[in-house]
Amino acid sequence: QVQLVESGGGLVQAGGSLRLSCAASGRTFSSYFMGWFRRAPGKEGDFVAAINWSDDNTYYAESVKGRFTISRDNAKNTVYLQMNSLKPEDTAVYYCAAARSYGAYYYSDSHYNYWGQGTQITVSS
């Protein structure tokens, strides 16, 4: 069982930066495939980024590639999402998710077994 708690959300101007954190409980955190998703008002949820525990390979949505960076600290049971050059279209609730392993459909929310409660990011123009 893994429990996830996000933090670091808030209001930022376009062009600014934020770093989200996702603290996980559970002894096997280091073996989980971790991802970030977001859901904007009135829209479906979107994959943002993911990181593989075994090789630290990272995966990004095209819309955030080059601006967002996902990383993890297994010693702290925490995964991070550094968000730079934020745009108004990045406004959404951001969710941390954990999957028991890597899979080809890592970009699909159905791949993940555990979810955080979400944190709001608002980017003003």
Side-chain angles (χ1 to χ4, degrees):
Q1 186 76 14
V2 174
Q3 292 183 325
L4 306 172
V5 179
E6 302 97 335
S7 61
L11 174 65
V12 63
Q13 287 189 331
S17 298
L18 282 174
R19 189 177 79 157
L20 301 183
S21 299
C22 173
S25 63
R27 292 179 297 173
T28 58
F29 168 78
S30 62
S31 68
Y32 281 82
F33 185 86
M34 302 298 296
W36 287 95
F37 286 75
R38 65 187 181 186
R39 178 172 292 175
K43 295 187 178 180
E44 296 288 326
D46 292 326
F47 168 75
V48 175
I51 186 166
N52 198 359
W53 72 273
S54 61
D55 54 17
D56 271 349
N57 277 348
T58 55
Y59 309 85
Y60 295 95
E62 284 298 321
S63 59
V64 306
K65 200 171 289 185
R67 299 188 298 123
F68 290 12
T69 302
I70 187 172
S71 61
R72 66 191 296 161
D73 185 335
N74 288 339
K76 295 183 178 179
N77 278 7
T78 301
V79 63
Y80 304 98
L81 185 68
Q82 178 66 44
M83 304 183 293
N84 298 329
S85 301
L86 282 161
K87 305 175 181 179
E89 51 263 44
D90 294 319
T91 295
V93 178
Y94 283 69
Y95 298 89
C96 175
R100 295 189 183 96
S101 62
Y102 168 81
Y105 294 98
Y106 61 85
Y107 51 84
S108 171
D109 57 6
S110 62
H111 176 69
Y112 295 82
N113 306 103
Y114 305 101
W115 291 84
Q117 82 288 352
T119 186
Q120 176 72 46
I121 302 295
T122 301
V123 184
S124 62
S125 57

